[in-house]
Amino acid sequence: MPLTAFDQRRVDEAEADAEAAGSSKLLVRSPPDTQKLGSITVMCLIINRTIGSGIYVTPAIVLRATNSVGVSLLLWTLGAIFGICGLLVWLELGLSIPKFQPSEEGKTSIDGEGTYENVPRSGGEKNYLEYIYHDPRFQTTCMYGVIFVILGNLTGNAIAMGQYIMQSAGIPDDEPTVRGIAVAALTGACLIHGLWRNGGIVLNNVLALIKVLTLMAVIVIGFAAAGGASFGNGSVGRAAVKTNFDTHSSFSGPSHDAGSYARSIVYVVYSYSGFKQPFYVLSEVSQPKKRFAKATIATMILVAILFILANVAYLCAVPKDRILSTELDMANIFFHDVFGNEIAPRVMSGIIALSIFGNIVVMTFTASRVKQEIAKEGILPFSLFFARSTATPYAWLQERFWPSDGRMVEESPATALLLHWFFAVILVGATSSSSTAIAYLSLVLLYAYTLVIIVGFFVAAGVLYLRATKRKAWTDNLGFKPWGGPTAAIIYSATCAFMIVGVFITPSATSPFSYATTGVQHYMIPTVGLGTLLIGYSYYLVFAKLTPRWRKKVLIVEREPIIVRQGGRQDAEALTILKFLRVAPYALRDVNCAGTEGPLPLFVHSVSDEPCPESTNYPLEKHLVSRTATDCIKVDFIWLYFGAASSEITITPGQCSRADRHHTFLRRGYTISSSSYQPSSFGGGRTDGIGNFLCSKSKPPPNISSKEEAGLSSQPPALHNPHAPLIVESPTIEYLDLDNTSFTNGGDRVLILTPLRDAASHLETYFKLIQELSYSHRFIDLAFLVGDSKDDTLDLLHNQIKRLQAPSNPARYRSVMVIEKDFGDNLPQTVEYRHSFEAQGPRRKGIGRSRNYLLYSALKPDHKWVYWRDVDIVENPATVIEDLMKHDRDIIVPNIWFHRIGTKGDEIEGRYDYNSWQESWRGRRLRSRLDKNTVLAEGYKEYRTHRTYLNWLAHDNRKKRLKNLHREVPLDGIGGVNILVKADLHRSGINFPCYPFENQADTEGFAAMAKRAGYGVFGLPNYVVWHVDTEEKEGNMVKGGREAVEAMERKLAEKEARKKGGKGR
């Protein structure tokens, strides 16, 4: 579904602003439908992240910690339930928030009144935590953002990959080499996604398939060994099955070490944590409301089955005592015992290394998007730099060597990838003082404890909080309703709570997690994990408290979402106009509210440290609630700053307001009347950064510069006289009420405007077609402007008008006006010059000027429509005016073609007008780089815009054209051959610029001006009006124009002649 004219204008403005030097604005786009992630890719994201080193390494660790086959299998089963519960919690939030509220004007707000709609956003739990724990502003974003930016990578897995590559090569572990491989793997993954987005996705899917097939092979080999099959080391499976699965011994001798159980659960949970990956890129998923839940749930069930079967398969081939007696990982023990040689374990080490690289690839793809979303909140240094997406080098090469019109450029978050790579490499270096084995265990446990367990607890507990506080308001509007209601959130939050505390329990001396085994005290990693929360909170205090005081400015992050439907389906996405502002906080307590009333523009920020009582924590929809025993007035900062004019409200002493986020306080004792109040945290109208608030004295805020004071000076109030206008009876005074201008049914007044220059040869055909128009001529006025003509256009025009308006003609028009105006334009009128590149700027400016003279001379108050019509049309439907009117568009144009008779007498249809087009991203980029005084001439090789022309959108087949005759498409530029315009649009000041407007002039500038003002511009690709055949347009039929057609026909004739044995011409 295309954007509305209003929204398209906002997007165009934001795109132009974003590309300007020093801009603080950024247009955030989602990938086009052709680049969206399908269900298969969503499944592969989970598979590639879930199946890594964990399923090959962790089973042996868990068995050694629990000392029981039955208990270890039970933990893996409970881990599967935990993972599915976590997925259900994430689905409940991911498909339900953030909630947007579309407005009638095409704007969008969040958390206002009215109908809400969920538009999925990338970022995963970042969005959910911000939604649940929104107060105070920036706190949640800073605490989560700092943790994820630093730890949101798989540095530990990269180190493990280096170890397995060394094992696969049969080389003893060398610490620098292992870390070098880790850095190379992290760098390679970032380069893949930065250079070629789609290539990284394909690689992810291929690796996921390899992982599933490998794990299935392990399962088949294990069960075959249990059945007695030999793979080179005899029948080892029968003895293992008898030992491990004996009903009397499988649960015997379990460990009673609570610390080991807690850590075992952490490692199992970490193995199942891959379900979060597609939520990190949710805005890049195709139709998430329709397919996403089914794909993710099916994948997690598949992974759970594979993991449990893999654990059973291991134990079908390897006895418990064998696992307990060695420190090797489970996969190496399994392959060594099954195949009985050293080659198989080395091969398996290579497979595990490849599997780990798949982990790194998918995490790099998804985590970089989260870090980009964090940057969009403005909390990072150089946030706009890290929030941008840029075209990939592959996309550049594609456009350079294989250009294609209409193809959307591929983009990647290159700067966020750089941020991701930087901190991953920092962690590799930070753990260099310890062995690679300890570094791997420490980094994996730290990641699991912070980003899986702590974050998971707050997310799941937040869902329970929403269900308890909002109740039906929450559950009735869910985009996904999990089975069992809050059951999944209860299980997930309870398990996380146990693990948060349980890892502080000291493991036994024989535990694989003991200090003697790992060389790390058991409390170190969870303490560091909790310490990251303190680091995040400290960052928040510096960012949100100290920095504003030091810089004397506060940060405002403005997000304007624009909802776009995906092909009319239930799914929608949001373009976001992102803007960072830093504004000076002015204190109201220093304003003297006494004296003459007048408007006072000012900013509002925190001016009091006394918070309103907690009892004023009212629901948002109540807005301002009267209180009698409070010490302050609590007002939402963004409401006042970004309010849209609606109704006047008064904030008086004894009142408090609880908003969704971003508070400020006002001391009691002041009354503020605001005509720009809007109960919404985002969106709404803006007043260029300044809200106008009426206070009792026109005094600027204190402590500002003279320049600022001049900008904030008072303005006299605008007065409206409610009395009816006075009508004086006098022949020299005319009263016109445009509000009550009536148009008779079927008889809207139409003004047909035609500029003429050297048009004598076309007038006869023109008036013949005009006379045949079926629209009632008594409602039509004709107006012509004749200027700079060298032929007898004016004389022939007078003759045609006399015949047309003769009293004997029953089809004469309401009126005819002829305007003479020479502009001193002596430019040549030859075909070659008129359509040369050099002539386009001056020619189009001149045509625009003549159109405006004609328009403002002929337009009358009772005209409802203006029909612009060129003189050189040779054929059109007689009902063209009615046909265009029925669309009721501000501006609408038909398609313009021409007839031509080929050398064989056959009729050829050619496309004529290439000034009607839809803008492309290349065109916008080109306009942003052109000098503002340059007129962009469409259709010339000097300006490669790759725009989509209205001509291209028509059906070549005439029957299909007739069937879809009235299909509309939005346009950004139009030609002037045939235009129907609502007269009020011209009255509003929309004309034909005779100067470069957004690098366009004449009719193309007219369309740009109309769209800038919020009007709609549309074309009918299958409704054809025929222009006179001219030879100036090469490439309309086949490449090369008429000469190419004739050359092609000569070749065909020569070919036929050669067949007959002769030589034809």
Side-chain angles (χ1 to χ4, degrees):
M1 176 178 174
L3 291 173
T4 64
F6 177 80
D7 284 340
Q8 185 62 59
R9 177 170 61 86
R10 294 167 66 199
V11 171
D12 292 343
E13 290 176 353
E15 191 171 52
D17 291 345
E19 293 184 359
S23 173
S24 62
K25 185 174 285 191
L26 177 67
L27 178 63
V28 181
R29 295 180 180 271
S30 295
D33 285 350
T34 55
Q35 297 178 20
K36 293 279 178 145
L37 307 180
S39 297
I40 297 298
T41 300
V42 168
M43 298 173 74
C44 290
L45 289 175
I46 296 177
I47 291 171
N48 209 13
R49 176 65 184 90
T50 307
I51 303 177
S53 60
I55 190 58
Y56 300 114
V57 177
T58 306
I61 298 175
V62 173
L63 183 59
R64 294 179 193 126
T66 60
N67 198 43
S68 170
V69 169
V71 172
S72 66
L73 291 176
L74 180 61
L75 290 183
W76 280 98
T77 304
L78 293 176
I81 296 173
F82 176 86
I84 293 174
C85 287
L87 173 61
L88 295 178
V89 171
W90 259 249
L91 283 171
E92 179 176 345
L93 290 166
L95 297 181
S96 302
I97 59 173
K99 294 183 182 296
F100 294 81
Q101 180 190 353
S103 72
E104 295 179 357
E105 294 82 7
K107 301 178 184 177
T108 308
S109 64
I110 303 177
D111 296 332
E113 295 179 334
T115 303
Y116 299 111
E117 180 171 359
N118 165 246
V119 179
R121 179 189 292 173
S122 296
E125 59 265 16
K126 167 197 165 290
N127 301 320
Y128 317 149
L129 292 170
E130 288 175 339
Y131 181 83
I132 299 166
Y133 309 103
H134 47 70
D135 189 21
R137 185 186 182 211
F138 289 129
Q139 179 176 294
T140 299
T141 306
C142 287
M143 294 182 70
Y144 175 83
V146 168
I147 295 173
F148 197 91
V149 167
I150 297 174
L151 300 179
N153 53 66
L154 295 183
T155 305
N157 293 52
I159 292 174
M161 177 183 170
Q163 292 176 308
Y164 280 105
I165 288 177
M166 299 291 282
Q167 292 177 23
S168 179
I171 302 173
D173 278 0
D174 178 65
E175 298 276 337
T177 304
V178 169
R179 296 184 188 278
I181 294 173
V183 172
L186 295 166
T187 305
C190 290
L191 288 176
I192 289 169
H193 292 300
L195 297 175
W196 185 15
R197 175 184 180 272
N198 191 56
I201 293 171
V202 171
L203 177 62
N204 169 77
N205 295 353
V206 170
L207 290 175
L209 177 62
I210 293 173
K211 290 184 178 187
V212 171
L213 294 177
T214 302
L215 200 55
M216 291 177 67
V218 169
I219 294 169
V220 170
I221 292 171
F223 281 98
S230 174
F231 295 90
N233 196 30
S235 181
V236 298
R238 294 186 185 276
V241 169
K242 185 177 181 179
T243 303
N244 294 335
F245 297 104
D246 182 81
T247 56
H248 300 289
S249 61
S250 59
F251 280 90
S252 63
S255 171
H256 299 286
D257 181 4
S260 294
Y261 277 104
R263 278 175 167 72
S264 296
I265 296 174
V266 170
Y267 278 95
V268 171
V269 165
Y270 177 72
S271 298
Y272 283 105
S273 64
F275 69 84
K276 296 195 286 186
Q277 299 306 304
F279 292 90
Y280 291 156
V281 292
L282 194 53
S283 63
E284 300 185 33
V285 174
S286 177
Q287 301 185 65
K289 293 183 181 179
K290 180 178 179 181
R291 305 173 179 173
F292 188 76
K294 296 177 182 178
T296 52
I297 292 172
T299 307
M300 280 304 294
I301 292 174
L302 172 64
V303 169
I305 293 172
L306 290 176
F307 276 19
I308 294 171
L309 290 178
N311 274 274
V312 174
Y314 291 143
L315 296 170
C316 284
V318 184
K320 170 186 172 182
D321 293 339
R322 165 82 169 116
I323 299 171
L324 298 179
S325 64
T326 180
E327 295 184 359
L328 294 175
D329 57 66
M330 183 64 88
N332 275 319
I333 301 171
F334 175 80
F335 274 82
H336 183 276
D337 287 10
V338 169
F339 291 95
N341 57 59
E342 298 298 328
I343 300 299
R346 289 175 58 181
V347 171
M348 192 60 207
S349 294
I351 294 173
I352 295 175
L354 182 65
S355 182
I356 294 173
F357 184 66
N359 279 170
I360 298 171
V361 167
V362 67
M363 188 65 179
T364 301
F365 177 74
T366 58
S368 60
R369 268 68 178 176
V370 180
K371 291 169 185 177
Q372 186 181 39
E373 290 296 321
I374 293 169
K376 291 174 187 176
E377 300 298 334
I379 68 165
L380 300 179
F382 313 107
S383 286
L384 274 178
F385 174 75
F386 292 115
R388 294 182 184 276
S389 289
T390 55
T392 62
Y394 174 79
W396 182 86
L397 291 173
Q398 197 175 39
E399 292 303 315
R400 176 68 176 83
F401 297 104
W402 307 283
S404 175
D405 292 303
R407 178 173 59 203
M408 295 297 293
V409 68
E410 175 188 82
E411 294 184 333
S412 70
T415 51
L417 285 167
L418 177 64
L419 182 68
H420 177 85
W421 175 86
F422 176 79
F423 279 99
V425 173
I426 288 292
L427 289 181
V428 172
T431 57
S432 60
S433 60
S434 59
S435 68
T436 53
I438 293 176
Y440 166 71
L441 292 174
S442 300
L443 289 172
V444 166
L445 183 58
L446 182 60
Y447 178 96
Y449 189 76
T450 53
L451 291 173
V452 177
I453 299 172
I454 294 178
V455 170
F457 169 77
F458 282 106
V459 171
V463 169
L464 297 177
Y465 168 78
L466 292 175
R467 285 178 170 270
T469 56
K470 294 191 175 183
R471 299 186 181 182
K472 281 187 170 291
W474 172 256
T475 56
D476 289 350
N477 295 288
L478 290 177
F480 174 83
K481 295 185 179 181
W483 313 309
T487 305
I490 292 172
I491 293 174
Y492 198 84
S493 59
T495 306
C496 288
F498 166 74
M499 289 185 287
I500 290 174
V501 177
V503 292
F504 281 98
I505 302 174
T506 306
S508 65
T510 58
S511 169
F513 306 112
S514 66
Y515 175 75
T517 304
T518 64
V520 179
Q521 293 289 353
H522 69 282
Y523 55 81
M524 286 297 296
I525 301 301
T527 301
V528 172
L530 293 175
T532 58
L533 295 178
L534 182 60
I535 294 173
Y537 186 72
S538 300
Y539 185 89
Y540 157 72
L541 293 178
V542 173
F543 173 81
K545 302 297 182 182
L546 297 181
T547 302
R549 293 189 179 186
W550 169 59
R551 300 185 64 172
K552 301 192 183 322
K553 288 186 177 181
V554 293
L555 175 67
I556 303 300
V557 180
E558 176 189 347
R559 300 180 75 127
E560 295 183 51
I562 303 173
I563 290 183
V564 184
R565 297 285 176 191
Q566 294 185 13
R569 300 184 293 266
Q570 63 173 332
D571 292 286
E573 63 184 26
L575 300 176
T576 303
I577 301 173
L578 185 70
K579 187 174 183 180
F580 295 160
L581 302 171
R582 286 196 178 271
V583 299
Y586 299 133
L588 282 185
R589 61 183 173 185
D590 296 322
V591 178
N592 181 12
C593 293
T596 307
E597 292 189 348
L600 175 64
L602 48 84
F603 294 105
V604 182
H605 188 50
S606 179
V607 298
S608 174
D609 294 326
E610 305 98 331
C612 288
E614 292 184 359
S615 59
T616 61
N617 189 8
Y618 292 99
L620 179 62
E621 52 269 20
K622 291 187 178 180
H623 303 313
L624 298 174
V625 182
S626 297
R627 303 287 294 171
T628 57
T630 59
D631 295 326
C632 71
I633 307 167
K634 193 174 186 181
V635 182
D636 183 86
F637 176 60
I638 300 300
W639 286 3
L640 295 180
Y641 186 79
F642 290 116
S646 57
S647 59
E648 182 172 295
I649 62 98
T650 301
I651 304 170
T652 59
Q655 290 185 327
C656 283
S657 172
R658 174 69 164 89
D660 186 56
R661 62 172 76 182
H662 316 326
H663 308 103
T664 189
F665 304 102
L666 306 177
R667 290 187 184 276
R668 64 179 299 144
Y670 302 103
T671 299
I672 304 175
S673 296
S674 171
S675 61
S676 56
Y677 172 83
Q678 172 69 24
S680 171
S681 295
F682 296 93
R686 298 183 311 284
T687 56
D688 297 326
I690 299 178
N692 290 311
F693 302 101
L694 296 176
C695 194
S696 56
K697 185 175 182 180
S698 300
K699 176 183 176 182
N703 302 322
I704 60 174
S705 66
S706 58
K707 183 178 180 181
E708 290 174 313
E709 182 173 348
L712 297 175
S713 59
S714 302
Q715 303 173 9
L719 301 179
H720 173 67
N721 185 353
H723 299 289
L726 179 65
I727 303 177
V728 180
E729 297 294 338
S730 170
T732 63
I733 298 175
E734 180 181 1
Y735 170 68
L736 180 65
D737 184 2
L738 288 177
D739 288 330
N740 297 313
T741 301
S742 60
F743 302 99
T744 58
N745 187 26
D748 291 348
R749 303 295 187 192
V750 178
L751 174 64
I752 298 180
L753 299 179
T754 303
L756 300 174
R757 179 181 181 184
D758 294 335
S761 61
H762 301 297
L763 287 177
E764 183 177 353
T765 303
Y766 175 88
F767 278 96
K768 176 179 178 294
L769 295 175
I770 284 288
Q771 188 72 7
E772 294 172 353
L773 291 175
S774 62
Y775 194 81
S776 178
H777 292 191
R778 63 192 182 94
F779 297 118
I780 298 178
D781 298 291
L782 298 177
F784 304 90
L785 185 144
V786 183
D788 298 307
S789 282
K790 303 295 190 295
D791 62 5
D792 54 353
T793 295
L794 190 60
D795 293 338
L796 292 177
L797 177 64
H798 285 155
N799 293 336
Q800 291 288 349
I801 291 173
K802 287 179 181 179
R803 180 182 58 81
L804 184 69
Q805 296 297 95
S808 59
N809 182 11
R812 60 182 177 273
Y813 286 85
R814 182 187 181 209
S815 70
V816 179
M817 177 185 292
V818 178
I819 304 164
E820 294 184 58
K821 173 62 180 176
D822 288 337
F823 298 97
D825 183 358
N826 296 316
L827 297 175
Q829 290 299 295
T830 62
V831 168
E832 292 77 10
Y833 180 79
R834 284 169 53 203
H835 293 278
S836 66
F837 174 75
E838 294 76 12
Q840 296 313 299
R843 180 171 175 267
R844 297 185 186 192
K845 293 177 184 178
I847 295 174
R849 184 169 61 247
S850 65
R851 288 185 191 274
N852 292 332
Y853 269 80
L854 174 58
L855 171 67
Y856 293 123
S857 300
L859 185 63
K860 297 295 188 294
D862 60 348
H863 285 139
K864 179 74 176 295
W865 300 91
V866 177
Y867 177 43
W868 291 91
R869 182 184 176 96
D870 274 4
V871 70
D872 43 6
I873 293 172
V874 296
E875 182 182 341
N876 61 254
T879 57
V880 61
I881 294 179
E882 301 97 306
D883 292 341
L884 298 180
M885 274 185 182
K886 72 172 58 175
H887 289 267
D888 195 31
R889 293 296 188 181
D890 299 319
I891 303 173
I892 193 164
V893 296
N895 213 337
I896 309 299
W897 287 18
F898 65 86
H899 292 294
R900 178 173 295 174
I901 305 301
T903 56
K904 294 184 178 181
D906 55 327
E907 181 182 343
I908 299 172
E909 294 181 347
R911 292 161 169 78
Y912 177 80
D913 189 357
Y914 284 81
N915 296 112
S916 296
W917 39 262
Q918 294 175 335
E919 186 60 282
S920 66
W921 70 268
R922 298 181 190 87
R924 293 190 183 95
R925 183 177 64 183
L926 176 61
R927 284 193 290 111
S928 70
R929 296 174 178 176
L930 288 175
D931 182 86
K932 66 179 181 179
N933 295 317
T934 299
V935 175
L936 197 163
E938 183 54 47
Y940 292 83
K941 64 182 180 180
E942 287 81 0
Y943 294 135
R944 300 181 182 274
T945 61
H946 296 272
R947 288 164 170 164
T948 300
Y949 300 108
L950 182 64
N951 278 324
W952 293 355
L953 302 177
H955 284 295
D956 291 327
N957 184 284
R958 292 188 182 184
K959 290 184 178 179
K960 290 185 178 179
R961 284 210 303 268
L962 291 173
K963 184 178 179 180
N964 299 277
L965 190 64
H966 289 281
R967 180 172 75 92
E968 295 180 357
V969 297
L971 296 176
D972 297 293
I974 59 171
V977 177
N978 212 273
I979 315 171
L980 185 68
V981 184
K982 288 185 177 179
D984 281 346
L985 183 144
H986 283 312
R987 294 188 183 99
S988 299
I990 311 302
N991 56 25
F992 300 87
C994 55
Y995 53 88
F997 180 85
E998 296 184 357
N999 297 109
Q1000 309 289 172
D1002 191 27
T1003 55
E1004 292 167 301
F1006 169 63
M1009 188 180 293
K1011 298 200 74 170
R1012 171 68 71 88
Y1015 293 102
V1017 182
F1018 292 86
L1020 305 178
N1022 296 310
Y1023 193 102
V1024 178
V1025 169
W1026 301 89
H1027 193 274
V1028 68
D1029 177 15
T1030 60
E1031 298 185 27
E1032 68 264 13
K1033 294 236 178 226
E1034 293 187 357
N1036 288 343
M1037 299 169 297
V1038 295
K1039 188 174 182 181
R1042 172 169 288 187
E1043 293 179 0
V1045 173
E1046 294 174 349
M1048 183 175 63
E1049 291 178 347
R1050 283 197 301 271
K1051 289 181 180 179
L1052 291 174
E1054 291 173 359
K1055 186 176 180 181
E1056 290 295 325
R1058 284 195 297 271
K1059 288 183 180 179
K1060 296 178 180 179
K1063 184 175 181 181
R1065 178 177 173 78

